[in-house]
Amino acid sequence: MKKVLLLFVMGLFTLGASAQLSMSSRTGQEIIDKCEYYVVAFEDNAYQMFLQDYFKSREIAVSLGADKRQAAETVTNILAWMKSAKAGEVNRVSVGGAEGFNFVKGDGKTLLVSKSDGEYCMAAYQILVPNLKKHRRFITDVTALPNTIGHITTNDLKRIQKKLQK
């Protein structure tokens, strides 16, 4: 029994380590902005925003545009929507006919991005995320939700917008 528990815990740490590696290993591309939970880079002939989910097991890639102007415009549109949206409001976004994402305004200035529906995003955000401060290690190392939920703040988006407009 102890061996099974030990293998389970080691597997969880491996998932966390591989997610950390994917966010920090984007060195070959032109990196526009980077922090612990997102990277904006030029990859696959487009500017993309890679958001790491709250539980550090997966990431979401959102295409912003083929050039800096388009990418800056996309970020400007996201910021405009965030300003007018109410908490919990969902904006379904499909880029280039590809699979769509739900942009969900969290409480305050947080944008949640997921392929799951908006109701799922808000439930996970309201129940689990506030507890990250209190139980961060347990939640990030042990809990794995079935759907990825990335996040970014309006301050982050404003910083990205400025860097893209240079």
Side-chain angles (χ1 to χ4, degrees):
M1 182 69 171
K2 288 182 181 180
K3 287 182 182 179
V4 172
L5 183 60
L6 181 61
L7 286 172
F8 176 72
V9 171
M10 289 181 68
L12 290 173
F13 283 121
T14 303
L15 280 175
S18 66
Q20 289 283 348
L21 182 63
S22 69
M23 292 306 280
S24 62
S25 66
R26 296 185 188 285
T27 55
Q29 307 85 0
E30 177 191 356
I31 297 196
I32 305 303
D33 195 22
K34 178 179 174 180
C35 85
E36 69 180 81
Y37 55 90
Y38 75 84
V39 174
V40 177
F42 187 77
E43 186 174 303
D44 296 331
N45 297 318
Y47 286 90
Q48 297 192 55
M49 182 168 49
F50 300 93
L51 302 170
Q52 190 173 47
D53 80 335
Y54 277 107
F55 304 98
K56 300 185 192 254
S57 59
R58 298 161 287 199
E59 69 180 27
I60 301 168
V62 179
S63 179
L64 298 175
D67 58 35
K68 278 191 174 182
R69 183 193 57 75
Q70 286 178 344
E73 187 176 303
T74 300
V75 173
T76 301
N77 291 339
I78 293 170
L79 283 166
W81 177 78
M82 281 288 287
K83 189 174 183 178
S84 66
K86 294 177 181 161
E89 193 170 318
V90 180
N91 187 8
R92 180 98 175 134
V93 177
S94 183
V95 179
E99 187 175 359
F101 297 94
N102 284 314
F103 284 6
V104 183
K105 183 172 182 178
D107 296 335
K109 298 181 177 190
T110 303
L111 175 67
L112 308 171
V113 181
S114 183
K115 290 185 180 180
S116 61
D117 65 17
E119 188 175 318
Y120 174 89
C121 289
M122 283 306 293
Y125 178 73
Q126 291 173 336
I127 294 168
L128 297 174
V129 173
N131 290 318
L132 278 176
K133 291 177 184 167
K134 188 174 181 183
H135 306 290
R136 182 172 181 81
R137 185 162 183 210
F138 172 78
I139 291 176
T140 57
D141 290 346
V142 178
T143 308
L145 295 176
N147 297 302
T148 305
I149 303 173
H151 69 288
I152 193 163
T153 67
T154 53
N155 289 338
D156 296 327
L157 289 166
K158 288 175 184 175
R159 187 175 60 245
I160 293 166
Q161 181 185 41
K162 286 179 184 175
K163 289 183 177 188
L164 287 168
Q165 290 174 340
K166 287 184 180 178

